[in-house]
């Protein structure tokens, strides 16, 4: 029997393994099964080049649970006593303190950097034994044993067959790993696609109302998963079936991309475009990363461009080590090349579908749109490729490339400054009348109701030359695309003040909503009252919802314009009626206001070139009194208009119709509108 100490310069490696790897301790099973696969594949290689001449036989790797043990057995190359000493006992560390400091926050890097795959066993085991026999002719089987101290023993034993059995005596605080369901779950997670069969227990079947074991071995993995096979061998159903295996509860994917590259790096895989639900974040991290068919992670940021983390599927690259760390992903040049390759492959595939089957591409556009828009917003080089196949959809459900749409609207939707105006709606139902108004002018209206369309509008204004996007309800139709300066008739100041005051007084109180009332001559056939919302302010508020740092806009009230059409017969009648009804009260009041204004202007004229201390106190006091009197008279005047409007059901009816048209009439105001409508009928 040989005794000795494991060659480490740290006092004891095992507390380090326990302490720093504890959060990842389930990976011990991946490491040990992967080692067994490596040993098996090495034997296959030796057999293929004629260096091993024995019978390969059954190469299945077995994982077995005992009362307090887990055993992983293979029939691979095995180890001699000398190899055991070299590969298991000599762990080359230098500077224990440097080691701890460098890797204390990155459990995976400890294992990956020092080749400690086998030693991950001590995360869960208080004692580990290796019983191994080399494939070499006449080899002596040996048993290595270590109880979690730097001391080990190696002794000769009897073993009938080549290969290795690794026996883990599970520690008291890790008893969960002796549960069949826990080990089954880990094997499914990490080992589902390993290239050598892995058996865990026996298959079960239902008999007499309960599950019973059969004699057939339970092979938990598919040794030739879809991505390792040639696309020419596979049908659409094969791809869909594999997708259902990966994501059992999902709808069928839209389509997929089979990746296969040998130079300048090795990469295989299948990426699926899933049917997208509305929330971007929910669907991230569905791509599984493998290294030679061993599962590594499903956090693929850094390997896959951010916008493609919305895709589902599998990427397998031996150029990415098993124990991927964040720092590795940020610095490795292969990873950057892989990311660029995947972006190119995805854009080429989308371009190909668009070119070869545009009808199919258009049918799937609503599902594809979120991927493509997200990519265009976050990755400059993807925008340059995607602008050839990204689509606009109009309110008649017609599809156009950016170039096609520009050609369509250029002649009719260019304003007096030479800017092309893209009209859009983000709610076809709520903005129906505005859309119809635009169409009656011969304009086309885009439907932009996706969750990223607010950001897309801002980006496209930067990208498309001399272009501006305007929501169809942001102004009266004649002002959306101003072709020439037109001066419609404006109301004289007194009449404008009277009708504005009347309408303002009858607006229902709404939380965080403010109205600015204006009058415009819009033609006698246009709507009497319209509500519009400033494109700039509305867009800033929408951006505040999706972009941090803009919350200032989110807190501001919604600003709307209530536009009174002074050409419409109903508005004209209200102006005439108001003038007649208020004349008796208003005339003496207006005379008094005029008198106050005249005296106030005189005083201001006298004082305009004087310093503050040169103005007599009597003049200052008089001016203050005049200001107060003017405010008081103004309030009385507004009260007259308010009293008139309160008795005029048509004023309130026109306001409510405009609010109703914009889905802003609710609660008590809506109830009152219904009652008033019945009375008016």
């Amino acid at each position: 029997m040989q005794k000795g100490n494991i060659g480490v310069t740290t006092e004891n490696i095992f507390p380090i393994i326990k302490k720093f790897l504890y959060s990842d301790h389930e990976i011990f099973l991946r490491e040990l099964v992967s080692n067994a696969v490596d040993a098996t594949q090495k034997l296959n290689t030796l057999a293929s080049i004629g260096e091993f001449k024995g019978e390969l036989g059954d190469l299945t790797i077995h994982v077995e649970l005992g009362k307090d043990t887990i055993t992983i057995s293979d029939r691979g190359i095995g180890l001699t006593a000398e190899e055991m000493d070299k590969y298991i006992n000599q762990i080359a560390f230098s500077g224990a303190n440097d080691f701890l400091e460098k890797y204390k926050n990155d459990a995976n890097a400890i294992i990956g950097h020092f080749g400690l795959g086998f030693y991950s066993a001590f995360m869960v085991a208080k004692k580990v034994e290796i019983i191994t026999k080399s494939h070499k002719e006449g080899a002596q089987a040996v048993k290595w044993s270590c109880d979690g101290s730097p001391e080990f023993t190696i002794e000769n034993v009897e073993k009938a067959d080549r290969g290795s059995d690794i026996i883990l005596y599970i520690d008291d605080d890790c008893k969960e790993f002796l549960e069949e369901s826990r080990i089954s779950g880990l094997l499914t997670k990490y080992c589902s696609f390993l290239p050598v069969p892995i058996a865990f227990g026996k298959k079960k079947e239902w008999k007499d109302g309960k599950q019973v074991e059969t004699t057939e071995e339970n092979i938990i993995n598919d040794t030739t998963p879809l991505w390792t096979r040639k696309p020419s061998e596979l049908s659409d159903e094969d791809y869909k079936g594999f997708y259902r295996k990966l994501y059992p509860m999902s709808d069928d994917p839209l389509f997929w991309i089979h990746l296969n590259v040998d130079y300048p790096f090795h990469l295989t895989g299948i990426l699926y475009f899933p049917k997208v639900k509305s929330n971007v974040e929910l669907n991230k991290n569905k791509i599984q990363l493998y290294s030679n068919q061993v599962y590594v992670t499903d956090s693929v940021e850094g390997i896959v461009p951010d916008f493609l983390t919305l895709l589902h599927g599998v990427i397998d690259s031996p150029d990415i080590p098993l124990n991927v760390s964040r720092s590795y992903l940020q610095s490795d040049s292969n990873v950057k090349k892989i990311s660029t390759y995947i972006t190119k492959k995805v854009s080429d595939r989308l371009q190909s579908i668009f070119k070869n089957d545009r009808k199919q591409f258009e049918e799937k556009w609503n599902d594809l749109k979120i991927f493509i828009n997200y990519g265009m917003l976050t990755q400059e080089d993807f925008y340059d490729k995607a602008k050839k196949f990204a689509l606009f959809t109009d309110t008649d459900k017609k599809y156009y490339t950016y170039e096609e749409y520009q050609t369509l609207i250029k002649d009719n939707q260019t304003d007096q400054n030479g800017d092309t105006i893209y009209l859009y709606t983000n709610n076809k139902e709520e903005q129906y009348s505005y859309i119809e108004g635009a169409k009656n002018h011969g304009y086309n209206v885009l439907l932009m109701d996706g969750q990223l369309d607010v950001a897309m509008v801002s980006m496209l204004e930067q990208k498309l030359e001399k272009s501006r996007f305007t929501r169809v309800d942001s102004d009266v139709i004649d002002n959306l695309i101003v072709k020439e300066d037109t001066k419609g008739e404006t109301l004289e100041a007194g009449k404008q003040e009277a009708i504005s005051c009347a309408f303002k007084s009858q607006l229902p109180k709404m939380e965080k909503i403010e109205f600015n009332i204006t009058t415009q001559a819009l033609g006698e056939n246009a709507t009497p009252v319209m509500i519009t919302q400033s494109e700039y302010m509305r867009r800033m508020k929408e951006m505040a919802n999706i972009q941090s740092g803009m919350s200032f806009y989110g807190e501001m009230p919604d600003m709307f314009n209530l536009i009174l059409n002074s050409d419409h017969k109903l508005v004209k009648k209200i102006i005439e009626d108001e003038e007649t009804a208020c004349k008796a009260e208003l005339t003496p009041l207006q005379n008094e206001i005029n008198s106050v204004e005249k005296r106030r202007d005189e005083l201001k004229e006298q004082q305009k070139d004087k310093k503050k201390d040169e103005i007599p106190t009597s003049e200052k006091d008089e001016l203050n009194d005049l200001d107060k009197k003017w405010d008081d008279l103004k309030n009385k005047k507004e009260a007259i208009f308010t009293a008139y409007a309160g008795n005029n059901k048509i004023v309130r009816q026109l306001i409510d119709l405009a609010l109703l048209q914009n889905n802003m009439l609710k609660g008590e105001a809506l109830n009152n509108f219904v009652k008033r409508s019945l009375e008016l009928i």
Side-chain angles (χ1 to χ4, degrees):
M1 182 192 286
Q2 176 190 348
K3 288 191 175 185
N5 277 9
I6 293 164
V8 293
T9 53
T10 46
E11 168 78 20
N12 190 337
I13 184 178
F14 302 107
I16 295 169
I17 288 172
K18 280 276 190 189
K19 184 175 178 185
F20 291 108
L21 306 187
Y22 204 77
S23 61
D24 289 89
H25 59 345
E26 66 178 39
I27 64 170
F28 80 92
L29 195 59
R30 178 189 78 180
E31 298 295 323
L32 296 177
V33 174
S34 297
N35 286 351
V37 168
D38 288 345
T40 307
Q41 288 185 309
K42 281 172 185 167
L43 187 71
N44 267 323
T45 303
L46 293 175
S48 68
I49 60 175
E51 287 190 19
F52 173 69
K53 296 185 168 56
E55 287 289 319
L56 285 174
D58 179 11
L59 294 176
T60 303
I61 293 162
H62 290 83
V63 179
E64 293 173 8
L65 285 179
K67 184 170 175 287
D68 60 356
T69 60
I70 299 173
T71 303
I72 294 106
S73 306
D74 68 68
R75 293 184 69 251
I77 55 171
L79 295 170
T80 62
E82 292 75 26
E83 288 167 339
M84 177 83 78
D85 197 41
K86 181 179 176 184
Y87 295 122
I88 301 295
N89 295 335
Q90 302 303 318
I91 307 166
F93 281 118
S94 61
N97 292 334
D98 293 348
F99 160 76
L100 283 176
E101 190 53 40
K102 188 170 180 184
Y103 293 104
K104 65 184 180 185
N105 295 322
D106 199 341
N108 265 336
I110 300 176
I111 289 183
H113 194 79
F114 294 102
L116 290 181
F118 163 70
Y119 276 91
S120 64
F122 286 96
M123 293 192 289
V124 297
K126 56 190 173 192
K127 177 182 170 187
V128 178
E129 291 175 352
I130 305 172
I131 299 169
T132 184
K133 185 178 183 181
S134 173
H135 67 289
K136 292 171 184 172
E137 212 170 317
Q140 168 65 52
V142 290
K143 175 181 174 183
W144 178 93
S145 184
C146 179
D147 64 358
S149 72
E151 293 175 4
F152 67 86
T153 61
I154 297 180
E155 58 187 303
N156 292 343
V157 290
E158 291 299 313
K159 186 176 188 321
D161 205 358
R162 65 164 196 265
S164 304
D165 302 335
I166 298 178
I167 304 157
L168 280 60
Y169 292 84
I170 300 301
D171 216 338
D172 293 342
D173 59 357
C174 295
K175 293 293 188 193
E176 62 179 286
F177 294 109
L178 294 171
E179 293 167 15
E180 186 183 335
S181 59
R182 183 78 166 104
I183 295 300
S184 178
L186 291 180
L187 289 170
T188 302
K189 177 177 178 180
Y190 290 113
C191 307
S192 279
F193 302 112
L194 285 173
V196 177
I198 317 290
F200 178 55
K202 304 292 184 188
K203 281 198 170 167
K204 293 178 180 175
E205 63 181 22
W206 284 97
K207 204 170 185 181
D208 301 328
K210 60 183 179 182
Q211 275 199 326
V212 292
E213 281 192 355
T214 64
T215 55
E216 189 184 347
E217 286 192 328
N218 178 37
I219 304 296
I220 57 96
N221 57 324
D222 172 2
T223 58
T224 54
L226 223 61
W227 74 83
T228 64
R229 293 158 63 188
K230 292 177 184 166
S232 56
E233 300 171 357
L234 302 169
S235 67
D236 285 1
E237 196 43 55
D238 289 329
Y239 285 108
K240 288 178 185 174
F242 184 61
Y243 185 78
R244 285 192 287 269
K245 189 174 180 179
L246 291 172
Y247 313 103
M249 305 304 288
S250 298
D251 295 333
D252 279 352
L254 300 169
F255 52 83
W256 46 88
I257 300 167
H258 200 131
L259 305 167
N260 195 345
V261 64
D262 290 323
Y263 180 82
F265 47 81
H266 294 285
L267 177 77
T268 53
I270 301 167
L271 291 179
Y272 291 92
F273 279 75
K275 282 203 168 173
V276 182
K277 305 292 183 276
S278 61
N279 192 309
V280 178
E281 293 301 318
L282 282 179
N283 290 307
K284 280 193 173 186
N285 294 335
K286 290 291 186 79
I287 296 176
Q288 298 175 8
L289 179 66
Y290 288 78
S291 179
N292 283 330
Q293 295 174 234
V294 182
Y295 175 82
V296 180
T297 181
D298 59 6
S299 292
V300 293
E301 292 96 334
I303 298 168
V304 174
D306 191 43
F307 75 101
L308 293 179
T309 57
L310 298 175
L311 300 185
H312 295 178
V314 168
I315 294 171
D316 189 337
S317 177
D319 294 324
I320 294 168
L322 255 188
N323 300 292
V324 167
S325 67
R326 288 251 173 255
S327 56
Y328 172 85
L329 290 179
Q330 285 159 4
S331 62
D332 188 77
S333 60
N334 268 336
V335 169
K336 291 184 176 67
K337 286 177 194 163
I338 288 170
S339 177
T340 306
Y341 169 79
I342 291 171
T343 303
K344 182 180 183 306
K345 194 78 177 167
V346 167
S347 55
D348 287 352
R349 175 83 164 111
L350 290 166
Q351 175 73 47
S352 157
I353 295 173
F354 175 72
K355 200 172 169 185
N356 299 325
D357 191 348
R358 177 158 175 173
K359 188 171 184 293
Q360 182 205 5
F361 190 86
E362 289 180 357
E363 284 166 1
K364 291 178 175 175
W365 173 248
N366 283 340
D367 289 304
L368 285 175
K369 181 177 165 182
I370 197 163
F371 297 109
I372 294 171
N373 286 357
Y374 191 24
M376 293 171 92
L377 286 163
T378 55
Q379 201 151 324
E380 189 74 28
D381 59 344
F382 184 74
Y383 173 86
D384 293 335
K385 295 182 178 83
K387 66 184 179 185
K388 298 183 186 79
F389 52 77
L391 299 178
F392 284 134
T393 315
D394 71 10
T395 51
D396 295 323
K397 295 185 180 172
K398 289 180 183 164
Y399 296 90
Y400 308 88
T401 63
Y402 292 174
E403 196 176 336
E404 288 166 353
Y405 195 73
Q406 200 164 23
T407 305
L408 176 79
I409 65 168
K410 197 157 187 59
D411 292 340
N412 199 31
Q413 291 182 211
T414 299
D415 70 7
Q416 61 185 0
N417 301 318
D419 290 336
T420 305
I421 310 299
Y422 291 72
L423 299 178
Y424 70 96
T425 175
N426 56 11
N427 192 313
K428 202 171 156 184
E429 298 302 316
E430 287 182 10
Q431 291 151 25
Y432 179 83
S433 60
Y434 298 94
I435 296 165
E436 287 304 297
K439 283 183 176 179
N440 291 338
H441 270 62
Y443 299 151
N444 186 280
V445 181
L446 292 172
L447 179 62
M448 301 193 80
D449 58 354
Q451 67 189 105
L452 295 177
D453 278 337
V454 177
M456 283 298 290
V457 160
S458 296
M459 182 193 73
L460 288 169
E461 283 182 333
Q462 306 293 319
K463 298 280 188 188
L464 303 174
E465 200 176 327
K466 282 189 76 65
S467 297
R468 190 158 47 82
F469 282 71
T470 301
R471 202 168 85 176
V472 73
D473 63 341
S474 63
D475 209 331
V476 296
I477 191 66
D478 290 332
N479 292 349
L480 288 175
I481 304 174
V482 179
K483 305 280 180 95
E484 56 188 0
D485 288 329
T486 53
K487 292 210 171 5
E489 287 181 30
T490 53
L491 279 180
E492 59 191 70
K495 289 181 178 179
Q496 185 155 321
E497 182 192 9
I499 194 163
S500 295
C501 187
F503 273 83
K504 189 166 192 171
S505 71
Q506 299 308 301
L507 278 164
K509 293 278 180 283
M510 294 187 217
E511 199 177 336
K512 290 191 84 172
I513 289 179
E514 289 181 14
F515 287 94
N516 174 45
I517 297 177
T518 61
T519 59
Q520 287 185 40
L522 303 174
E524 56 188 32
N525 294 322
T527 314
V529 180
M530 256 184 103
I531 292 173
T532 64
Q533 190 178 15
S534 150
E535 174 74 15
Y536 174 77
M537 280 306 296
R538 179 187 48 72
R539 206 187 293 180
M540 290 300 106
K541 283 180 74 70
E542 285 172 354
M543 288 297 286
N545 292 331
I546 59 173
Q547 199 169 316
S548 56
M550 293 186 69
S551 55
F552 163 74
Y553 287 104
E555 294 305 310
M556 292 179 74
D558 287 328
M559 307 291 291
F560 291 93
N561 297 313
L562 187 84
I563 301 164
L564 308 175
N565 178 9
S566 56
D567 286 338
H568 195 279
K569 62 182 181 182
L570 284 172
V571 176
K572 279 182 171 176
K573 186 167 185 341
I574 291 167
I575 294 168
E576 289 166 14
D577 288 351
E578 184 176 25
E579 202 171 11
T580 307
C582 302
K583 191 172 182 181
E585 275 186 277
L586 205 58
T587 304
L589 193 66
Q590 189 61 51
N591 290 338
E592 206 173 341
I593 289 171
N594 294 344
S595 167
V596 168
E597 281 181 346
K598 186 182 174 190
R599 176 58 186 152
R600 200 166 62 161
D601 291 345
E602 285 170 1
L603 283 171
K604 284 180 179 175
E605 183 63 29
Q606 287 172 27
Q607 296 172 4
K608 74 175 182 183
D609 295 324
K610 292 180 182 176
K611 290 178 184 170
K612 214 170 184 180
D613 54 4
E614 292 174 353
I615 301 168
T617 305
S618 58
E619 276 188 27
K620 287 181 188 173
D621 290 344
E622 186 183 0
L623 193 58
N624 280 336
D625 289 342
L626 287 167
D627 284 343
K628 284 176 189 170
K629 191 170 185 184
W630 188 88
D631 284 341
D632 185 45
L633 292 167
K634 191 86 175 157
N635 288 337
K636 284 179 180 174
K637 185 179 179 182
E638 284 178 6
I640 294 169
F641 295 142
T642 301
Y644 162 77
N647 292 317
N648 186 322
K649 290 180 180 174
I650 303 298
V651 170
R652 190 57 193 262
Q653 195 73 356
L654 289 175
I655 290 171
D656 286 354
L657 281 167
L659 292 170
L660 189 66
Q661 190 177 21
N662 288 272
N663 200 30
M664 295 167 74
L665 192 65
K666 293 173 181 163
E668 186 185 357
L670 178 60
N671 190 48
N672 291 341
F673 168 74
V674 173
K675 282 184 187 171
R676 193 185 321 108
S677 298
L678 292 170
E679 287 168 20
L680 288 168
I681 290 168

